[in-house]
């Protein structure tokens, strides 16, 4: 099935998403500066048994943003919650990559009716994450391991989002997530850990698991930070197995 684009006006901003596949719905939330087009490979695999909605946060991809919005993670979470309600997708499974995982955790803690299950792929989400400068250094170390075909789409996405917005959102990570907030998550949670990820390392995933009751970890050997692109079949297999076991 070919992808279909949709646009909704959410909080005054024209918001883009695209969908493909058939079956129970699953929403993908991109990482920092990333755009929906960077998740085509994993969406194709997930779309074999799911209706996959790939959402562009405000100021990302084809979605509008403002100079002053979004500049913190709560802005991203509030917009996602509003978009889910408006799209008729409240109460579905959510898949978040990198910062999208942190946004998804925030959503589950503050908007408990929105998700029924969480799949966090290479997620951020603890205040012990290193400074913005160290995160950028780790990203540079990770880039040579990524698929060459992702670099140009990724550069296009980062350019569209803008350095200022990305820095403001990255700085907010240092103060945003706390253990008690993760402890408020009451839906089944899967954490996907790429063992070759320089950006979000395994100790971060282990710490998040300790704070989310009954969270499950699956490790992907050779998985880089963009393991949705480098290992889409493994990511999809673990995700679909997890949801099927839940009966979702």
């Amino acid at each position: 099935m070919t992808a279909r684009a949709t646009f909704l006006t959410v909080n005054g901003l024209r918001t883009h998403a695209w969908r493909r596949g058939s079956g129970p719905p699953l929403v993908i939330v991109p990482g920092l500066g990333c755009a929906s087009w960077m998740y085509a490979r994993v969406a194709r695999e997930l779309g074999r048994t799911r209706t996959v909605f790939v959402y562009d946060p405000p100021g990302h991809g084809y979605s509008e943003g403002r100079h002053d919005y979004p500049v913190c993670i709560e802005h991203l979470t509030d917009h996602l919650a509003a978009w889910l309600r408006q799209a008729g997708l409240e109460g579905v499974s959510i898949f978040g990559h990198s910062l999208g995982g942190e946004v998804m955790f925030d959503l589950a803690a503050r908007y408990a009716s929105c998700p029924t299950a969480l799949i966090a792929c290479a997620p951020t989400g603890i205040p012990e994450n290193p400074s913005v400068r160290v995160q950028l250094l780790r990203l540079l170390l990770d880039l040579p391991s990524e698929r060459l075909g992702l670099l140009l789409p990724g550069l296009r996405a980062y350019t569209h989002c803008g350095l200022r917005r990305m820095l403001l959102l990255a700085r907010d990570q240092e103060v945003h997530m706390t253990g008690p907030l993760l402890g408020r998550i009451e839906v089944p949670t899967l954490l996907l850990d790429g063992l070759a990820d320089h950006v979000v390392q395994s100790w971060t995933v282990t710490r998040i698991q300790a704070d989310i009751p009954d969270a499950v970890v699956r490790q992907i050997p050779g998985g880089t930070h963009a393991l949705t692109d480098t290992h889409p079949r493994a990511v999809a297999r673990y995700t679909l197995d997890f949801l099927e076991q839940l009966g979702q």
Side-chain angles (χ1 to χ4, degrees), residues 104-186:
M104 181 185 68
F105 294 150
D106 196 28
L107 179 81
R110 297 200 293 117
Y111 295 92
S113 65
C114 281
T116 56
L118 306 178
I119 301 93
C121 187
T124 62
I126 59 171
E128 291 87 349
N129 279 339
S131 68
V132 172
R133 186 168 63 179
V134 174
Q135 288 186 58
L136 289 174
L137 177 61
R138 286 185 176 180
L139 181 61
L140 290 174
L141 291 172
D142 188 77
L143 285 177
S145 304
E146 303 297 352
R147 189 176 65 90
L148 224 93
L150 183 66
L151 296 184
L152 284 180
L155 181 61
R156 178 182 163 214
Y158 291 157
T159 301
H160 176 81
C161 185
L163 181 61
R164 175 184 175 274
R165 192 186 311 279
M166 290 177 66
L167 285 174
L168 288 172
L169 291 170
R171 285 174 182 157
D172 192 52
Q173 285 182 272
E174 297 178 10
V175 297
H176 169 252
M177 192 58 68
T178 63
L181 184 58
L182 290 172
R184 286 164 52 191
I185 295 173
E186 298 181 349

Side-chain angles (χ1 to χ4, degrees), residues 1-241:
M1 180 181 291
T2 58
R4 296 176 54 191
T6 63
F7 288 90
L8 294 173
T9 301
V10 180
N11 296 342
L13 297 172
R14 193 166 186 258
T15 302
H16 169 262
W18 57 269
R19 59 180 287 183
R20 71 174 300 152
S22 60
L26 173 66
V27 173
I28 295 180
V29 182
L32 174 63
C34 296
S36 58
W37 58 74
M38 297 172 65
Y39 296 87
R41 286 163 65 87
V42 74
R44 183 167 55 246
E45 296 297 329
L46 292 166
R48 299 183 190 279
T49 58
R50 298 270 156 176
T51 302
V52 183
F53 295 81
V54 193
Y55 156 85
D56 273 325
H60 293 65
Y62 294 120
S63 292
E64 290 182 335
R66 297 192 303 266
H67 182 74
D68 62 341
Y69 184 96
V71 294
C72 67
I73 290 166
E74 287 194 358
H75 285 171
L76 294 173
T77 306
D78 293 342
H79 187 276
L80 175 60
W83 177 81
L84 289 168
R85 285 195 297 266
Q86 199 161 327
L89 292 170
E90 194 171 25
V92 303
S93 304
I94 310 289
F95 179 110
H97 171 242
S98 193
L99 181 67
E102 185 165 349
V103 171
M104 181 185 68
F105 294 150
D106 196 28
L107 179 81
R110 297 200 293 117
Y111 295 92
S113 65
C114 281
T116 56
L118 306 178
I119 301 93
C121 187
T124 62
I126 59 171
E128 291 87 349
N129 279 339
S131 68
V132 172
R133 186 168 63 179
V134 174
Q135 288 186 58
L136 289 174
L137 177 61
R138 286 185 176 180
L139 181 61
L140 290 174
L141 291 172
D142 188 77
L143 285 177
S145 304
E146 303 297 352
R147 189 176 65 90
L148 224 93
L150 183 66
L151 296 184
L152 284 180
L155 181 61
R156 178 182 163 214
Y158 291 157
T159 301
H160 176 81
C161 185
L163 181 61
R164 175 184 175 274
R165 192 186 311 279
M166 290 177 66
L167 285 174
L168 288 172
L169 291 170
R171 285 174 182 157
D172 192 52
Q173 285 182 272
E174 297 178 10
V175 297
H176 169 252
M177 192 58 68
T178 63
L181 184 58
L182 290 172
R184 286 164 52 191
I185 295 173
E186 298 181 349
V187 296
T189 301
L190 171 66
L191 306 174
L192 297 177
D193 177 20
L195 295 183
D197 186 347
H198 293 286
V199 181
V200 175
Q201 299 175 350
S202 292
W203 69 266
T204 301
V205 176
T206 300
R207 172 60 193 276
I208 292 172
Q209 181 191 28
D211 287 335
I212 299 179
D214 302 319
V216 175
V217 173
R218 294 290 181 263
Q219 295 182 320
I220 298 178
T224 61
H225 189 58
L227 70 166
T228 51
D229 184 81
T230 57
H231 291 70
R233 289 183 180 178
V235 168
R237 184 179 71 251
Y238 283 130
T239 299
L240 296 174
D241 287 350

